[in-house]
Amino acid sequence: MKHYLTAALMITGITCMFASPPANDDCVNAIPLTVNSLCVFTSGTVDQATQSAPPATCNGLTSASAFDVWYSFVAGANGQNITVKGSGSFDASVMLLDNCGGTVVNCSDQTGLGGTEMIV
């Protein structure tokens, strides 16, 4: 079963109003990730990302905004570790869904600006 992953990020700072959103701004354009035994990070951006859905509550926290980008993967038999590394300018949260617009399987929003979120 293909799973969909969204990383909703609270961004601070000034952004240019004329830039385009990232290619994976919507679930239908989720970037496919390869599942393997190595920890391989995929670079991405949330610059000019839009909000696909209202902010969700995770770990008792609800962000003020939910600018999101999307990734997809097919889960392996042994399960996966999903890690989203933040930076000093935004607070990342990660949500695992069973399909686009589907049911939330798990989420992580435990750190603040620059923190790393993980779903096991």
Side-chain angles (χ1 to χ4, degrees):
M1 170 187 288
K2 184 182 272 190
H3 288 74
Y4 290 84
L5 179 67
T6 181
L9 309 159
M10 186 172 84
I11 302 169
T12 59
I14 299 172
T15 57
C16 177
M17 298 304 290
F18 301 106
S20 297
N24 60 332
D25 189 46
D26 294 313
C27 188
V28 296
N29 297 321
I31 294 174
L33 301 174
T34 302
V35 174
N36 58 44
S37 61
L38 304 173
C39 183
V40 179
F41 286 98
T42 300
S43 295
T45 183
V46 295
D47 187 32
Q48 297 300 312
T50 61
Q51 183 174 317
S52 300
T57 299
C58 178
N59 299 30
L61 302 171
T62 303
S63 66
S65 58
F67 304 114
D68 51 36
V69 291
W70 294 81
Y71 298 87
S72 66
F73 68 96
V74 176
N78 295 327
Q80 272 61 63
N81 293 332
I82 302 165
T83 304
V84 176
K85 293 176 72 172
S87 72
S89 63
F90 65 83
D91 176 12
S93 66
V94 62
M95 189 168 290
L96 177 65
L97 291 92
D98 63 357
N99 61 52
C100 284
T103 302
V104 175
V105 176
N106 204 344
C107 67
S108 181
D109 188 9
Q110 300 178 15
T111 65
L113 292 174
T116 298
E117 300 294 344
M118 181 180 282
I119 295 175
V120 178

